[in-house]
Amino acid sequence: MTTPNPEDPQLRRAAGGPPRPRAANTPSPAPAPVPAPPEPGKNASVEELEADLARTRHELGETVGALAGKLDVKAQAREQVEVAKSRLVEQRDEAREHVATYLTEAKGRVMDERGRPTKNAWLGVTAAGAVATVVAICWPRR
């Protein structure tokens, strides 16, 4: 005998529990439809009937367009690619700013006011060279 899954949305609704939170990448639900004005009555004029017909055609066109957009996999893929591209460009720009700031700070630490390397810079270069020499000597050769 299996136990019911508490994450099952049907069980949660039947039990009156709160709905499970949606994942961040799931699309948000469509906004509630705006109530349409009442249909013209039996004594409506031709202009009212034509206006109602034009409004109905417009609403139908929007509905068909929305459905076509949901079914257009290529367009959705293109949109996802554009979103990813813009996110990558933003991250690249942030990384460039971060690196530029870091390099400026690092240069300030190893250069004096005349633009010459400080004693700490020479010690760092010497230590790095010593480590590289030890690694090159001790590295297993094939």
Side-chain angles (χ1 to χ4, degrees), residues 28-124:
S28 60
V34 177
E39 293 189 17
K42 291 184 179 186
N43 298 333
S45 67
V46 174
E47 292 84 21
E48 291 174 338
L49 291 173
E50 287 176 348
D52 182 53
L53 182 61
R55 187 184 71 250
T56 303
R57 284 181 179 158
H58 177 73
E59 291 171 359
L60 181 61
E62 288 179 348
T63 303
V64 169
L67 288 173
K70 286 185 176 186
L71 295 175
D72 190 359
V73 177
K74 285 184 179 180
Q76 289 179 3
R78 275 188 238 114
E79 183 177 336
Q80 293 271 337
V81 167
E82 290 302 318
V83 168
K85 280 183 181 178
S86 65
R87 194 177 309 135
L88 284 173
V89 166
E90 185 176 308
Q91 289 175 350
R92 180 200 65 198
D93 293 343
E94 288 176 7
R96 282 184 178 170
E97 289 177 21
H98 182 70
V99 167
T101 302
Y102 180 78
L103 289 176
T104 302
E105 290 174 4
K107 185 177 179 183
R109 289 186 187 130
V110 297
M111 299 293 224
D112 63 8
E113 54 278 343
R114 291 181 284 178
R116 293 189 301 181
T118 62
K119 181 179 177 182
N120 290 338
W122 287 113
L123 288 174

